[in-house]
Amino acid sequence: MSKIIIFGLSGLLVAAGLTVLAAQLGGSPSDTMRGAGLFLFSFGVMLAALGLYQQARRLKVEYEGAKPRQKKKSDRLCSVCNRERAEVFCRVHVLRLCLSCLGSHDDGKNCLYVPANRASAAYK
Ligand SMILES: [Zn+2]
Ligand SMILES: [Zn+2]
């Protein structure tokens, strides 16, 4: 509802501004009237932009709210034992590791670890 009001109002303001500006072309031009016309015009355009912005924001919120949440994925489990939740990710061996498997996996020189929740974004 408010969207229609905003766009209606902005349209009216733009039209009023244009009318005032057009009137300046014919009769004797006055700076005050031209300023008022420009003000009405730009205010109307700004209001329309604001309305569009709000609409876009609302759409974005609706879209993001409608998206199904798939946070709980089984691929977060440790790749070695497949039972416990992976806490770290070895970038060298491309393995998700829980804390108890981390000790046996680590070879002391090559392994490069990143947090598992960060790795899941990079390695699908
Ligand atoms: Zn494990
Ligand atoms: Zn490793």
Side-chain angles (χ1 to χ4, degrees):
M1 278 305 275
S2 61
K3 187 175 71 194
I4 297 161
I5 295 168
I6 287 174
F7 281 118
L9 198 65
S10 68
L12 269 174
L13 282 168
V14 169
L18 282 176
T19 310
V20 173
L21 284 175
Q24 296 302 298
L25 295 173
S28 55
S30 108
D31 278 347
T32 319
M33 285 305 281
R34 196 166 16 175
L38 277 174
F39 172 76
L40 282 172
F41 180 76
S42 54
F43 191 71
V45 170
M46 198 193 72
L47 206 64
L50 200 76
L52 276 176
Y53 171 74
Q54 276 194 333
Q55 199 184 354
R57 245 175 56 148
R58 197 171 309 146
L59 278 176
K60 191 164 173 280
V61 166
E62 276 173 17
Y63 175 72
E64 282 179 353
K67 252 197 318 192
R69 286 157 199 269
Q70 299 177 318
K71 287 278 176 185
K72 285 176 186 168
K73 277 199 167 180
S74 54
D75 62 5
R76 289 288 182 84
L77 288 175
C78 166
S79 318
V80 179
C81 62
N82 250 320
R83 279 198 312 270
E84 290 184 58
R85 205 169 70 88
E87 299 291 345
V88 293
F89 180 83
C90 176
R91 297 182 68 165
V92 177
H93 301 105
V94 197
L95 278 175
R96 287 169 213 281
L97 299 161
C98 68
L99 291 182
S100 45
C101 296
L102 176 62
S104 52
H105 168 83
D106 191 54
D107 64 4
K109 26 182 204 292
N110 294 318
C111 287
L112 254 174
Y113 302 112
V114 291
N117 57 355
R118 202 149 61 81
S120 64
Y123 302 90
K124 286 268 173 180

